[in-house]
Amino acid sequence: MIKQEYDEDNGFEERAEYIFNDYFLNWNVDIPYFNSIQRKLIEKGTKVIVGPRGSGKTHQMMIAHFNCIDDKTKPFPVYTSFGKYYHLEPLLSKNPAAITVFHTWVLCKILLAADETFYTIKNKKVEYFFNDIKRERIELFIAQSEKNVQESWHDDIIRGITIQYVLNFITDCMISCKRKRTILLLDDAALTLTKEYMIEFFDIFRSLKTTNISPKASVYPGTTEYGPRFHLKQDGDPFIIWFDPFGNDYTEFINQLCEKRFNDLNIDQNIKELLKYASFGIPRAFITLLRDFHQSTSNSIQVTFNSTIDIRCKLIKDEYISIKQKLSQYSMFIDVGWEFFEAILNEITQANKGFNKNDGEKQIIIGLLDYRDASIERMIKFLIEAGLLYELSQVKHGENREYRRFIPHLIFLLQKRAFTGSSRGFNINEILDFLARKNVKHPLRKDNIYNILSNDVLKNLKLDLPPCTNCGENRLSENQKYCHACGHELVSKSSFERCMQLTIDELPLTEWQKNKIKEETALKTVKDFVSILDIGDELTKPHGFGKKKAQKISEKVKVFIEEFLT
């Protein structure tokens, strides 16, 4: 393809779904690693793509979608995202039929996506859906369900649109487009805030598989719960999208990305190399770091680099800690998990301080003797899902001594100067030379997690469950539906409602912007940003806020809501 002229506004866009199609296709990196992912997405069989935020799951699905549309020999592609599932979360505590509504919402999203693909290939809309169901009705059902609005005619949609209905519709579209089979690219399927919906989704996912229809779903590592009726590896073949931060595949990706997308940026190659390590195998993180470094106003490379690293470390930590707001019952797991992570960082930093220039080795891996404690496992899964721990394959050291191995996020090790050796200054070449060293033969081994955290700290690994609102009695378990003392129904505030109640002070804006919004607009909470019809007009009211600034703030809040609820 012809090289696309660099455009900074688009160039630093981190999310694939927000990049214009022509930029998106021209900037796509073509490496064997990605080609193997594309083969898995396009081939027959049910697949589950696993990777943390920013690892490229959406990007790969969209590339597969575009490639299949343009190639008549490839399958009929149906791409849709379920990222807005959280809008239906309040129904779980308000509507007895919440699961049924969600079930139909999922099927309706797939129907419209199939219709969109049909239109793109044939240049015309499907003339009618089966049983005289109108497209407009399906679109309205989706919109009203996301606003928790119920109408009597919804029952007709719920009764009429079944899994078999969807399979028949997709098959008709596929045949009409002269394709031999279909791939369903179901993005943002890790419905982590709603366990009930996630279980239902994977029931649907499993049921959509036929001889000619192959569903694919993207999820997060760690805490995704597939439910009792969906068995990973048996019902869906998982594969990881998360670059090894020290692997050749990641180096090749970064080199091509910089050549295609950031070739005009005047940034030293060694700085790019350091930022590659700091992004820890996550493409979106690399783009963010590159943008922050490029946009710095400092003339000192050392100050700019340290500032870029510090800002990113704070954002990663804040995002991890924000899990407490989303899933308040796991507050203690998050707090203890951060202590655990910090302890690992300190251990590895100290180990590297013990090497001299002639050793030619580095330590980046910690090995934990395999354990069977569900609470500790849950704590570690949250760290993996947040991208703070990269898990390697297990290794054995003697009889019944199998170690789980982890690399902690390299950006925090860089912040702690774990790779500077005895040097006190900032020497890029020395840091890169240290990172290029071979790993020591054995990781830091911990035969007992109590060697990292004390028993007093680990005792805090317990659920923080809200008491009964009627009698104040503490709950006994996470899944308890009724109070054991008074029999009153136990209802927890939804994550969506918690997000809507967040104040302006909790948004990722500058202090000046927050104060101006609070003083000169009617906006007080996140809910106001969602409910006010013309948010752009409201944001131009403060003195000094033009249309461009208002639009940028609006987009920032939109992304904040999406990140909070996914």
Side-chain angles (χ1 to χ4, degrees):
M1 288 186 177
I2 299 172
K3 183 179 174 182
Q4 182 76 46
E5 186 179 344
Y6 183 74
D7 177 325
E8 184 165 315
D9 285 341
N10 286 296
F12 285 123
E13 176 53 63
E14 303 154 16
R15 300 170 72 97
E17 60 267 41
Y18 296 149
I19 298 176
F20 297 135
N21 285 357
D22 49 350
Y23 283 109
F24 182 82
L25 293 170
N26 288 333
W27 286 339
N28 181 50
V29 172
D30 183 18
I31 59 175
Y33 175 74
F34 282 168
N35 293 336
S36 68
I37 294 171
Q38 288 297 305
R39 284 194 296 272
K40 288 178 182 292
L41 286 172
I42 293 174
E43 69 187 17
K44 288 186 175 182
T46 307
K47 309 290 182 183
V48 178
I49 309 172
V50 185
R53 293 171 180 81
S55 57
K57 301 184 295 297
T58 296
H59 179 92
Q60 291 300 322
M61 281 192 162
M62 291 177 70
I63 287 294
H65 178 71
F66 289 138
N67 286 340
C68 286
I69 282 177
D70 293 338
D71 189 340
K72 295 178 180 179
T73 66
K74 287 184 167 63
F76 180 78
V78 178
Y79 171 86
T80 189
S81 167
F82 300 98
K84 287 190 175 181
Y85 78 95
Y86 53 80
H87 285 284
L88 280 72
E89 188 211 11
L91 292 175
L92 287 168
S93 58
K94 297 175 181 177
N95 187 344
I99 298 297
T100 303
V101 173
F102 171 78
H103 181 103
T104 307
W105 177 80
V106 169
L107 296 181
C108 285
K109 295 271 289 182
I110 295 171
L111 275 176
L112 291 183
D115 183 33
E116 186 63 33
T117 297
F118 181 88
Y119 173 76
T120 305
I121 293 174
K122 303 280 286 186
N123 198 28
K124 66 177 183 179
K125 293 283 186 182
V126 173
E127 292 183 11
Y128 59 88
F129 287 81
F130 300 140
N131 302 334
D132 294 326
I133 294 178
K134 304 295 184 185
R135 179 185 300 102
E136 293 76 16
R137 284 281 180 168
I138 296 175
E139 291 171 340
L140 187 57
F141 173 84
I142 291 173
Q144 290 185 337
S145 296
E146 290 174 1
K147 293 179 181 177
N148 300 166
V149 174
Q150 293 177 266
E151 299 278 0
S152 58
W153 60 267
H154 286 189
D155 291 340
D156 296 333
I157 298 290
I158 290 170
R159 281 194 301 268
I161 295 180
T162 63
I163 286 176
Q164 191 57 53
Y165 181 103
V166 173
L167 292 175
N168 291 341
F169 180 79
I170 290 172
T171 301
D172 276 10
C173 290
M174 176 185 75
I175 293 171
S176 182
C177 291
K178 297 181 180 179
R179 303 294 176 99
K180 294 181 179 179
R181 57 189 183 86
T182 294
I183 54 170
L184 300 181
L185 302 168
L186 309 180
D187 202 7
D188 294 314
L191 318 182
T192 51
L193 299 184
T194 53
K195 179 181 177 181
E196 298 90 341
Y197 286 164
M198 201 179 326
I199 291 171
E200 181 67 19
F201 177 86
F202 280 101
D203 271 351
I204 298 170
F205 181 75
R206 182 169 52 89
S207 301
L208 289 170
K209 180 183 178 181
T210 70
T211 307
N212 297 317
I213 299 177
S214 303
K216 326 284 179 174
S218 68
V219 302
Y220 299 135
T223 61
T224 301
E225 296 185 35
Y226 301 94
R229 295 178 294 276
F230 184 88
H231 305 285
L232 207 59
K233 295 185 180 177
Q234 179 179 324
D235 293 319
D237 182 25
F239 63 97
I240 306 293
I241 294 188
W242 188 352
F243 282 108
D244 177 346
F246 288 93
N248 292 330
D249 288 329
Y250 195 47
T251 297
E252 187 177 359
F253 164 75
I254 293 296
N255 290 340
Q256 277 203 38
L257 179 71
C258 288
E259 181 182 344
K260 288 190 172 188
R261 193 165 169 180
F262 303 111
N263 194 43
D264 296 333
L265 293 185
N266 186 26
I267 295 179
D268 183 78
Q269 184 59 38
N270 283 345
I271 286 293
K272 291 179 183 176
E273 189 72 5
L274 269 184
L275 296 180
K276 178 195 79 173
Y277 287 114
S279 59
F280 202 46
I282 305 296
R284 187 189 299 172
F286 177 78
I287 295 171
T288 301
L289 287 166
L290 201 65
R291 178 198 63 203
D292 291 349
F293 188 92
H294 171 68
Q295 294 178 348
S296 172
T297 57
S298 173
N299 293 322
S300 166
I301 290 180
Q302 180 177 349
V303 170
T304 301
F305 179 79
N306 289 340
S307 173
T308 300
I309 294 299
D310 289 345
I311 290 170
R312 184 65 186 166
C313 283
K314 183 180 185 305
L315 287 173
I316 295 171
K317 181 181 179 181
D318 288 347
E319 183 175 324
Y320 171 73
I321 297 298
S322 75
I323 297 173
K324 295 198 297 184
Q325 293 176 302
K326 307 172 190 180
L327 300 169
S328 57
Q329 67 269 36
Y330 293 110
S331 293
M332 295 308 300
F333 286 77
I334 302 305
D335 287 340
V336 175
W338 187 257
E339 286 191 54
F340 175 71
F341 180 69
E342 284 275 15
I344 290 174
L345 294 176
N346 291 333
E347 293 260 6
I348 289 179
T349 299
Q350 290 306 311
N352 283 315
K353 295 296 183 186
F355 293 125
N356 60 47
K357 287 184 178 180
N358 298 322
D359 287 328
E361 294 181 323
K362 68 175 181 294
Q363 179 61 275
I364 58 167
I365 302 171
I366 188 155
L368 300 176
L369 195 62
D370 201 8
Y371 44 82
R372 295 292 183 267
D373 187 296
S375 295
I376 293 172
E377 178 64 18
R378 172 79 71 168
M379 176 191 77
I380 288 177
K381 280 184 174 181
F382 277 123
L383 290 167
I384 293 173
E385 182 164 308
L388 290 167
L389 290 180
Y390 181 92
E391 185 164 14
L392 301 166
S393 58
Q394 295 187 1
V395 294
K396 283 188 175 181
H397 288 283
E399 192 69 26
N400 297 322
R401 290 175 61 81
E402 192 163 1
Y403 286 85
R404 294 181 66 183
R405 300 183 303 153
F406 302 94
I407 302 175
H409 203 309
L410 295 177
I411 197 169
F412 291 92
L413 290 173
L414 284 167
Q415 187 186 45
K416 287 182 174 292
R417 301 170 60 81
F419 308 116
T420 57
S422 58
S423 174
R424 293 186 177 182
F426 177 75
N427 189 312
I428 297 175
N429 291 327
E430 283 187 6
I431 297 172
L432 287 175
D433 287 344
F434 203 113
L435 285 163
R437 294 179 181 184
K438 66 180 182 180
N439 293 332
V440 295
K441 185 175 181 180
H442 298 296
L444 284 172
R445 294 187 206 160
K446 298 295 177 180
D447 290 349
N448 196 316
I449 198 165
Y450 295 105
N451 294 337
I452 302 175
L453 294 178
S454 70
N455 186 39
D456 288 339
V457 172
L458 289 170
K459 280 194 303 186
N460 291 321
L461 283 177
K462 53 188 177 183
L463 292 169
D464 184 12
L465 300 170
C468 172
T469 55
N470 185 52
C471 71
E473 187 71 19
N474 289 329
R475 303 184 187 206
L476 298 177
S477 72
E478 183 181 6
N479 298 319
Q480 189 176 348
K481 299 294 184 184
Y482 297 93
C483 178
H484 61 281
C486 70
H488 195 266
E489 185 176 5
L490 298 171
V491 180
S492 298
K493 185 182 291 184
S494 77
S495 298
F496 183 78
E497 289 169 333
R498 280 196 291 271
C499 179
M500 293 300 103
Q501 290 173 3
L502 294 176
T503 66
I504 301 296
D505 289 322
E506 295 170 279
L507 293 175
L509 307 173
T510 66
E511 289 303 314
W512 178 78
Q513 289 171 341
K514 292 176 186 177
N515 290 332
K516 297 290 283 185
I517 291 171
K518 286 187 293 185
E519 293 167 5
E520 301 180 38
T521 74
L523 301 168
K524 304 301 177 190
T525 65
V526 169
K527 184 179 181 180
D528 296 330
F529 279 85
V530 175
S531 57
I532 290 179
L533 290 177
D534 194 345
I535 188 65
D537 183 61
E538 186 68 23
L539 282 171
T540 56
K541 289 180 179 179
H543 181 70
F545 279 32
K547 287 186 178 180
K548 279 192 173 182
K549 187 181 291 294
Q551 184 179 357
K552 284 187 176 181
I553 290 174
S554 179
E555 285 298 319
K556 266 192 175 183
V557 175
K558 181 182 176 182
V559 170
F560 171 81
I561 294 170
E562 290 178 357
E563 293 288 352
F564 185 98
L565 293 168
T566 56

